[in-house]
Amino acid sequence: KQPVTFDASPSKDMDDEPLKKFIWDFGDGTPLVETPGPIVKHPYAKAGSYPVKVVGVDKNGLKGDAKLTQRVIDPRNPKSGPPYCALTNDPPTSKVDEPVKFDASKSHDFEEKPCVS
């Protein structure tokens, strides 16, 4: 199993200082991992799509989180794999009753072809 490197180093607090602690959920049922730094490695045992979440904690104990989907392909069967789902929102921060545009057009299957229903 080759580990995946996750990097949350762009994370900063409101004073633009680095965060003090990171809590990682790799989405595969393994226990949460707490690290003092923003970079961590994690191996996956099986192919699939895994919802990865990191919670960053600042010097005041305030928390913020970030999420992504990690796709893992079985090298013994590279012709199949999970799709990639991408979603953007505009604007990223909205006011009450302000319309928000959601766009999933960059999603694709494992061969990087558009997803179809």
Side-chain angles (χ1 to χ4, degrees):
K1 297 187 278 187
Q2 182 177 359
V4 177
T5 301
F6 295 98
D7 185 350
S9 57
S11 305
K12 305 282 186 218
D13 68 11
M14 293 300 285
D15 298 320
D16 204 35
E17 295 178 12
L19 301 180
K20 300 298 181 188
K21 174 170 70 171
F22 298 84
I23 303 162
W24 301 87
D25 181 346
F26 300 108
D28 60 354
T30 56
L32 298 179
V33 173
E34 186 175 309
T35 61
I39 299 173
V40 69
K41 292 184 179 198
H42 180 75
Y44 286 92
K46 298 189 315 188
S49 289
Y50 297 95
V52 179
K53 179 179 176 181
V54 60
V55 175
V57 183
D58 73 6
K59 62 185 175 281
N60 299 311
L62 299 175
K63 297 177 181 177
D65 65 42
K67 301 172 189 170
L68 61 79
T69 300
Q70 177 64 42
R71 295 184 315 151
V72 177
I73 296 172
D74 184 346
R76 296 169 299 208
N77 189 10
K79 296 285 184 186
S80 70
Y84 173 75
C85 186
L87 180 64
T88 60
N89 57 320
D90 185 36
T93 302
S94 64
K95 298 179 179 115
V96 173
D97 292 327
E98 179 182 5
V100 178
K101 177 184 174 186
F102 295 98
D103 181 357
S105 64
K106 294 193 189 298
S107 300
H108 54 78
D109 69 11
F110 73 97
E111 294 177 316
E112 300 196 15
K113 295 178 183 171
C115 294
V116 294
S117 57

